[in-house]
């Protein structure tokens, strides 16, 4: 059971939780702009927001990027605010002759308005991660069905802060997150991942590695990480998230441990299944590319919210982002499924089994049903 549990690695991106009512990064921007127009608490920041957004687009234009070529989402906005908030502490501050005068007026004394605006967004983030109707995340139960069909532990890496996967916990379904329980008396312990493999204790049904943190994480005064039940008690500035930062790799645990595990397990997996991942995180992409290029590297299967007729163009887009040539991207399969569609497939166990190569020459001899129309050699996808 333990050996086969490394055959399949699942990577969840923001799109995986979109159907649970948790907005994607781009959708968060839409909601913020609506709040700035209509909510009295947010309206004082509208002119500041418009100035910062205009500056981001102006900067992209100087580099020859216009219109849809400009990457602008909640992460871009918060990262820009974070850099501005550093003000005199920023390394390039001594090289700045003067700030834009209009920006100085909007930012307030010591850039206090920048700090207030960023904290308001972080506070709103907690609300986004806890939608009013928790029943909408019910499709995640497909992971439980998948584990039961495969009959080995699932390895799930998530880039999301929400608690959709943790909601699967039940007496008969254990989700290992590195915590023995909640509160400061149960700090995060990486040995919980290692000891289980060597102790002979029953395996958890699912290992969860949250690469960018979690909305219910908090640190005590000595720096030890623990999880809480009520996220309302977590101060926005103290949230343990890698959110709105240009570099999403942090040299400290649990992030360093999870990244190391991601690197190790991607190289051991036979199939990497991404669900709702937009391939916008450079360090994740580099590790995926590194694993794919290894001899007998894993097959990459991508569940993407695209139409069947757009499968080839989606594969081309991903090949560009992963810096893979046609020969390298060919074994990859694009599955035109939203997460809710994939996880609720009645035959999800056999469907995923057919994506996992069964021998040392995986891409040539994998058992794939003709009914599911997976073409290993022609960059094709699967009929939804």
């Amino acid at each position: 059971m333990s050996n086969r549990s490394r055959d399949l690695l699942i990577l969840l991106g923001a799109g995986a939780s979109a159907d649970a009512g948790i907005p994607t990064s781009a959708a968060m921007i839409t909601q913020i702009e609506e709040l700035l127009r209509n909510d009295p608490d947010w309206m004082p920041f509208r002119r500041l927001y418009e100035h910062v957004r205009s500056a981001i687009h102006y900067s992209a234009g100087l580099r020859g990027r216009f219109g849809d070529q400009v990457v602008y989402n909640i992460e871009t906005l918060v990262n820009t605010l974070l850099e501005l908030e550093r003000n005199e502490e920023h390394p390039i501050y001594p090289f700045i002759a003067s700030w834009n005068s209009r920006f100085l007026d909007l930012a307030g004394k010591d850039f206090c308005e920048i700090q207030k605006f960023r904290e308001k967004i972080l506070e709103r983030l907690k609300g986004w991660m806890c939608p009013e109707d928790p029943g909408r995340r019910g499709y995640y139960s497909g992971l439980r069905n998948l584990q039961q069909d495969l009959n080995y532990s699932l390895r799930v890496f998530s880039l999301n802060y929400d608690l959709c996967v943790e909601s699967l916990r039940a007496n008969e379904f254990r989700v290992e997150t590195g915590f023995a329980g909640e509160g400061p008396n149960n700090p995060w312990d990486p040995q919980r991942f290692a000891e289980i493999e060597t102790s002979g204790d029953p395996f958890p049904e699912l290992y969860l590695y949250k690469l960018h943190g979690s909305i219910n994480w908090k640190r005590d005064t000595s720096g030890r990480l623990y999880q809480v039940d009520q996220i309302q008690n977590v101060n926005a500035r103290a949230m343990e998230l890698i959110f709105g930062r240009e570099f999403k790799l942090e040299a400290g645990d649990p992030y360093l441990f999870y990244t190391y595990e991601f690197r190790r397990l991607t190289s051991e997996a036979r199939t990497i299944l991404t669900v709702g991942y937009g391939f916008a995180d450079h360090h994740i992409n580099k590790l995926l590319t590194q694993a794919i290029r290894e001899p007998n590297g894993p097959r990459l299967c991508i569940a993407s919210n695209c139409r069947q007729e757009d499968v080839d163009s989606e594969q081309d887009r991903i090949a560009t982002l992963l810096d893979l040539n046609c020969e390298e991207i060919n074994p990859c399969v694009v599955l035109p499924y939203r997460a809710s569609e994939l996880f609720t497939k009645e035959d999800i166990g056999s469907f995923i089994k057919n994506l996992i190569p069964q021998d040392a020459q995986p891409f040539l001899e994998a058992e794939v049903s003709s009914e599911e129309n997976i073409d290993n050699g022609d960059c094709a996808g699967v009929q939804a």
Side-chain angles (χ1 to χ4, degrees):
M1 181 167 160
S2 60
N3 291 333
R4 293 190 61 199
S5 75
R6 299 180 183 181
D7 287 355
L8 175 66
L9 184 150
I10 299 174
L11 174 64
L12 302 179
S17 296
D19 289 335
I22 298 171
T24 61
S25 185
M28 289 179 188
I29 282 291
T30 301
Q31 292 193 26
I32 282 180
E33 292 181 348
E34 187 174 338
L35 289 167
L36 291 167
R37 284 193 299 270
N38 303 313
D39 190 318
D41 289 339
W42 286 75
M43 290 169 70
F45 299 102
R46 179 172 176 176
R47 291 173 63 213
L48 172 62
Y49 168 78
E50 291 171 345
H51 187 94
V52 171
R53 175 167 185 169
S54 298
I56 292 172
H57 280 260
Y58 173 70
S59 174
L62 295 177
R63 287 171 281 149
R65 298 175 185 167
F66 304 94
D68 294 340
Q69 294 178 310
V70 180
V71 177
Y72 182 72
N73 53 41
I74 192 70
E75 299 270 359
T76 315
L77 172 62
V78 175
N79 178 56
T80 302
L81 294 175
L82 177 65
E83 294 299 316
L84 290 170
E85 190 179 318
R86 296 173 66 183
N87 196 359
E88 295 180 5
E89 296 179 1
H90 203 290
I92 68 169
Y93 177 80
F95 302 96
I96 300 174
S98 65
W99 291 98
N100 179 288
S101 59
R102 186 171 184 273
F103 170 71
L104 283 176
D105 289 339
L106 296 171
K109 184 180 180 183
D110 295 329
F111 290 7
C112 62
E113 296 304 308
I114 297 281
Q115 178 181 334
K116 291 177 184 175
F117 185 34
R118 192 174 73 87
E119 288 182 6
K120 205 161 189 59
I121 296 173
L122 293 176
E123 194 64 41
R124 188 70 188 87
L125 181 68
K126 290 196 287 186
W128 282 323
M129 294 300 111
C130 301
E132 291 184 1
D133 182 8
R136 292 184 60 181
R137 64 190 180 197
Y139 61 89
Y140 266 88
S141 63
L143 289 174
R144 185 188 299 132
N145 300 334
L146 175 61
Q147 187 278 325
Q148 291 170 351
D149 287 346
L150 296 178
N151 195 30
Y152 54 74
S153 303
L154 296 182
R155 306 273 182 170
V156 178
F157 287 78
S158 177
L159 302 171
N160 303 331
Y161 318 121
D162 63 64
L163 306 176
C164 288
V165 178
E166 289 93 325
S167 71
L168 298 175
R169 281 184 176 135
N171 290 336
E172 74 283 4
F173 196 87
R174 179 179 159 199
V175 177
E176 180 56 63
T177 59
F179 300 96
E182 294 167 339
N185 292 329
N186 296 291
W188 179 80
D189 182 2
Q191 293 302 314
R192 292 186 60 81
F193 291 90
E195 288 179 351
I196 289 169
E197 296 185 349
T198 58
S199 65
D201 292 338
F203 287 83
E205 278 68 29
L206 188 149
Y207 294 90
L208 178 61
Y209 308 79
K210 302 190 82 167
L211 289 155
H212 288 170
S214 181
I215 198 71
N216 66 335
W217 286 2
K218 191 175 181 180
R219 288 194 189 272
D220 63 18
T221 53
S222 63
R224 295 192 307 173
L225 184 74
Y226 62 97
Q227 61 180 6
V228 299
D229 181 40
Q230 300 295 325
I231 65 171
Q232 291 81 2
N233 297 330
V234 182
N235 183 283
R237 292 182 67 85
M239 289 194 297
E240 196 60 35
L241 308 173
I242 302 180
F243 174 68
R245 302 184 200 175
E246 182 175 2
F247 301 105
K248 294 206 155 191
L249 184 59
E250 194 160 307
D253 282 337
Y255 309 106
L256 199 59
F257 173 80
Y258 287 157
T259 302
Y260 172 79
E261 288 295 276
F262 185 70
R263 190 264 180 211
R264 180 175 71 88
L265 292 170
T266 50
S267 67
E268 295 180 9
R270 291 192 166 191
T271 291
I272 297 172
L273 172 64
T274 70
V275 183
Y277 175 48
F279 293 86
D281 288 312
H282 300 304
H283 68 293
I284 297 295
N285 291 352
K286 285 183 177 179
L287 291 173
L288 288 174
T289 301
Q290 179 177 294
I292 290 170
R293 284 178 173 164
E294 290 181 3
N296 295 319
R299 173 195 235 176
L300 181 62
C301 299
I302 304 142
S304 175
N305 181 23
C306 68
R307 300 176 301 177
Q308 177 67 41
E309 54 267 36
D310 295 329
V311 160
D312 288 343
S313 60
E314 177 68 356
Q315 190 173 50
D316 291 342
R317 183 186 74 87
I318 293 167
T320 300
L321 293 171
L322 294 182
D323 193 26
L324 296 175
N325 59 38
C326 186
E327 183 178 347
E328 292 169 328
I329 194 69
N330 262 347
C332 301
V333 176
V334 174
L335 312 168
Y337 287 101
R338 300 173 65 91
S340 59
E341 295 170 335
L342 178 65
F343 290 162
T344 56
K345 284 181 69 68
E346 288 187 8
D347 60 342
I348 185 171
S350 58
F351 182 80
I352 299 299
K353 279 181 185 175
N354 285 329
L355 298 174
I356 303 173
Q358 302 299 311
D359 50 46
Q361 296 294 322
F363 305 135
L364 298 177
E365 299 178 25
E367 295 179 5
V368 178
S369 71
S370 58
E371 187 176 297
E372 287 160 345
N373 192 29
I374 300 175
D375 186 337
N376 290 333
D378 296 329
C379 303
V382 177
Q383 192 74 38

